[in-house]
Amino acid sequence: MTRRLPLFALCALLLMVALSGCGEPLREAPITLKGQIFGTYYQVILATPMRRDEVADIEAGILETLEAVDASMSTYRKDSELSAFNRSPIGEWQRLSPELMQVLTISRRVARASEGAFDITVGGLVNLWSFGPEARPETVPPEDLLEERLAQIGPDRVELDTKGGRARRLSDVYVDLSAVAKGYGVDRVGDYLASQGIEHFLVDIGGELVLRGHRDGEAERWRVGVEVPDEHRQVAQYVLALTDLALATSGDYRNYFEEDGRRYSHTIDPRTGRPVAHALASVTVLHADAADADAWATALSVLGPRAALDTARREGLAVLTLERDGEGWRSRVSPAFAERVGDAALDKLGISRPGQAPATDNEET
Ligand code: ADP
Ligand code: MG
C-alpha cells in the first residue's frame, strides 16, 4: 500500500530543494582570487559578497578564460596557436582563431597610429636581447646579428585578411604579443565576469587593469596606485580614484638587465633594434579596453617623453608620464587624462595641467 504525502509536506520538500543552494556559506566582500598566468600574477577582486560555490564556479571560469588566451597567444608555449603561426611557411595564409585575429588587428592599428613604435614583429630582437623565451645570456648582442634581424622586421611583414579570418608572414618574423596579450586577457576576464552578472570588480594581470562599478557598496571608486620609477621599492606615487575603464602601465624600471653600468630595458625601439634609452621611466594609459591601453603604454614608452605626449594629444589618449629628472622625476599628463581625472584630482596629486609649467618636481630625498 502506498501512502500519499500530504500536499503541505510535498510543498515543504520542494521548497527545501529550491532553497538548498542558499544554505551555502556566504563569502564576505571583497573576494580576492589570485594566481599565476602569462609569466606574471593575476588578481581579481569581486566587491560584492557571494556564495562559496558561486565563487568556486567564477574562479574556474576565470582560469578557463586565461588559459584560452595563453594557449592562443603565448610565445613561451611551443604548442600555442601563435607559436604555430611563427613556424608557418612564409607567404602561406594561416586560418586563425577570432581571438588571435582580434589581437593582431588591435596591434596593427596601434602600430600604424604610433608610426611603427609598436611592432609585434620585434620578437626576434626581443629574443636577441634575452627578454624572450629563447634563453640567452644577458649581454649586448653582436652588431651583425642585430642588423640582420632588424632588416627582417616591420608591422607590414604580417598581412591580415580580417574578413577571411587569416594571416600570413611575409618574411621570417617572430611575432611577440607580450605587450598586448596581458591587456587582452584582462578584457576577456572582465567580459566573462560581466556575462555572469557581476557588476563590481577589478581585474589585474601584471599591472594591466580593468575597473568596473564600485569597490564597495558605498559607491566608492576603485583606487589605483601609479608607482614611483624605482625598482627597489614598490611605493604608490599617485593614487587615482577611477572606475569603468581600463588602465595599463609600462615602465623601464622593472624588467631590464645591466651590463657595464648601463641598463637595458625590455622595450625595444623597432627603429634601431635596441632597447629604449631615454628619460621616460613610466607611461600610464587609461582606455576603454585594456588591450589598447597595454599596447599604447608600450608604444609611448618607445617614443620617449616628448613624442609620447605629442602622440597622446594627437590620438586623444589619456596618458600620465613619469620622466626621470636628475635624482627625482617629473610627471606630465595629456589633455584627455586631465579631463578624465578632473582638475581637483590633478591639484591634489600636484600634477600640472598639459601645457602648464610643472607645478612640482618631485625630488627624491
Ligand atoms: P610593460 O608592462 O613594460 O609595457 P609589456 O609586458 O606590456 O611590458 O611589454 C613588453 C614586452 O613587449 C617585451 O618583453 C617584449 O616581449 C615586447 N616588446 C618590446 N618592445 C616592443 C615594441 N616596440 N612593440 C611591441 N612589443 C614590444
Ligand atoms: Mg604593454
Side-chain angles (χ1 to χ4, degrees), residues 75-76 107 116-123 126-127 131-133 176-183 206-208 248-255 265-271 274 276 283 293-299 301-302:
T75 44
Y76 288 79
S107 299
F118 186 79
D119 183 352
I120 55 171
T121 69
V122 291
V126 170
N127 291 335
F131 290 110
D176 174 1
L177 296 174
S178 303
V180 57
K182 284 195 295 269
E208 329 296 6
T249 301
S250 273
D252 76 345
Y253 53 96
R254 270 294 159 72
N255 201 344
S265 158
H266 74 154
T267 301
I268 307 290
D269 186 335
R271 297 163 296 193
R274 290 169 167 74
V276 293
V283 178
D294 194 3
W296 269 114
T298 296
S301 291
V302 169

Side-chain angles (χ1 to χ4, degrees), residues 3 14 59 67 74 83 92 126 132 193 244-246 248 254 259 316 357:
R3 272 191 61 194
L14 285 177
E59 187 158 32
E67 269 296 320
S74 175
S83 290
E92 243 176 53
V126 170
L193 294 173
D244 294 333
L245 51 70
R254 270 294 159 72
E259 189 183 271

